[in-house]
Amino acid sequence: DQQVKQNSPSLSVQEGRISILNCDYTNSMFDYFLWYKKYPAEGPTFLISISSIKDKNEDGRFTVFLNKSAKHLSLHIVPSQPGDSAVYFCAAIHFQTGANNLFFGTGTRLTVIP
Amino acid sequence: KAGVTQTPRYLIKTRGQQVTLSCSPISGHRSVSWYQQTPGQGLQFLFEYFSETQRNKGNFPGRFSGRQFSNSRSEMNVSTLELGDSALYLCASSLGGDDEQFFGPGTRLTVL
């Protein structure tokens, strides 16, 4: 049962344009959401996160939006750069259970075309 | 500060064999979590160890087991390997609370 879903396996964007990666979740108890970036032969690296009490968090070129009623979050990258080409995973966590295991989506491969 | 290290990086086994993967967390980190990454399922949580105790477990069969040593290093064992166990196995370490997890590069296991 996939509680976190990324329905777009791939996305191609021109350099300088906006990249929008989407993520949906089914468990309304998730209270923290994260985006990870993964290059080949490397482990995922943390990118940006958002608490469920917020609807937006911004860090430089990266902004994450959370729509709790729709159980949807998105990552915006503006402007997109070729170095952003990687697989992006969204993840969710339910801290109140006392567990810190991450529930990941299946990933979206972003290709930024120079 | 050294990152999370995993050994070996690549491994080829045959069905029925067993395998042990190792993870050394960042110094000072007491929590180690293991994840399995497959193309169809993405990253799935296997288990988490904290201070030598399994604190949390995902939905994997009992063939998957782990342990953690007093220096926080962790091992993951898979017995009676199946073809479907072919995956990238990632471990992540953290201080142990609701803090950021840092991932290692993973061990690519291929089961023939």
Side-chain angles (χ1 to χ4, degrees):
Chain A
D1 177 31
Q2 196 76 25
Q3 298 189 48
V4 179
K5 300 176 185 178
Q6 293 174 258
N7 293 318
S8 298
S10 63
L11 175 68
S12 290
V13 171
Q14 286 290 134
E15 181 179 3
R17 299 289 188 100
I18 183 171
S19 294
I20 300 176
L21 296 96
N22 294 304
C23 179
D24 298 293
Y25 61 95
T26 57
N27 188 343
S28 59
M29 301 303 291
F30 287 138
D31 47 25
Y32 202 69
F33 303 89
L34 309 92
W35 283 93
Y36 282 82
K37 180 179 178 180
K38 186 179 184 303
Y39 291 115
E42 293 182 16
T45 54
F46 170 76
L47 195 58
I48 192 170
S49 63
I50 188 167
S51 165
S52 61
I53 63 173
K54 294 186 173 182
D55 55 17
K56 178 182 174 182
N57 188 25
E58 196 170 350
D59 183 4
R61 296 186 297 115
F62 303 91
T63 303
V64 56
F65 295 92
L66 175 62
N67 183 333
K68 283 181 62 179
S69 61
K71 295 192 182 68
H72 177 84
L73 66 154
S74 61
L75 173 67
H76 292 210
I77 306 174
V78 182
S80 301
Q81 298 173 354
D84 296 331
S85 297
V87 178
Y88 289 79
F89 291 94
C90 71
I93 195 166
H94 182 199
F95 283 128
Q96 289 184 25
T97 62
N100 69 345
N101 58 294
L102 294 160
F103 292 85
F104 281 92
T106 50
T108 296
R109 181 177 299 280
L110 173 64
T111 303
V112 180
I113 303 163
Chain B
K1 196 186 239 188
V4 179
T5 58
Q6 291 186 245
T7 56
R9 293 293 310 276
Y10 302 92
L11 204 50
I12 300 175
K13 291 284 188 178
T14 56
R15 276 184 303 173
Q17 286 187 308
Q18 68 93 27
V19 68
T20 299
L21 312 181
S22 180
C23 172
S24 292
I26 291 172
S27 177
H29 285 189
R30 296 168 66 190
S31 168
V32 174
S33 298
W34 288 89
Y35 295 85
Q36 180 196 63
Q37 184 188 1
T38 56
Q41 298 293 321
L43 280 142
Q44 291 187 296
F45 172 74
L46 280 153
F47 30 65
E48 183 217 359
Y49 286 86
F50 180 82
S51 293
E52 302 179 66
T53 302
Q54 188 180 88
R55 189 162 71 167
N56 194 13
K57 190 176 188 305
N59 292 326
F60 277 81
R63 299 186 297 107
F64 292 81
S65 63
R67 59 178 175 167
Q68 187 180 34
F69 302 94
S70 58
N71 61 359
S72 293
R73 189 177 70 85
S74 177
E75 287 182 348
M76 190 191 95
N77 186 278
V78 188
S79 62
T80 320
L81 283 166
E82 301 176 359
L83 296 178
D85 296 333
S86 294
L88 179 68
Y89 290 88
L90 291 155
C91 84
S93 78
S94 70
L95 290 169
D98 56 350
D99 52 301
E100 181 182 347
Q101 295 186 28
F102 294 84
F103 283 83
T107 294
R108 170 76 60 188
L109 172 65
T110 302
V111 181
L112 303 175

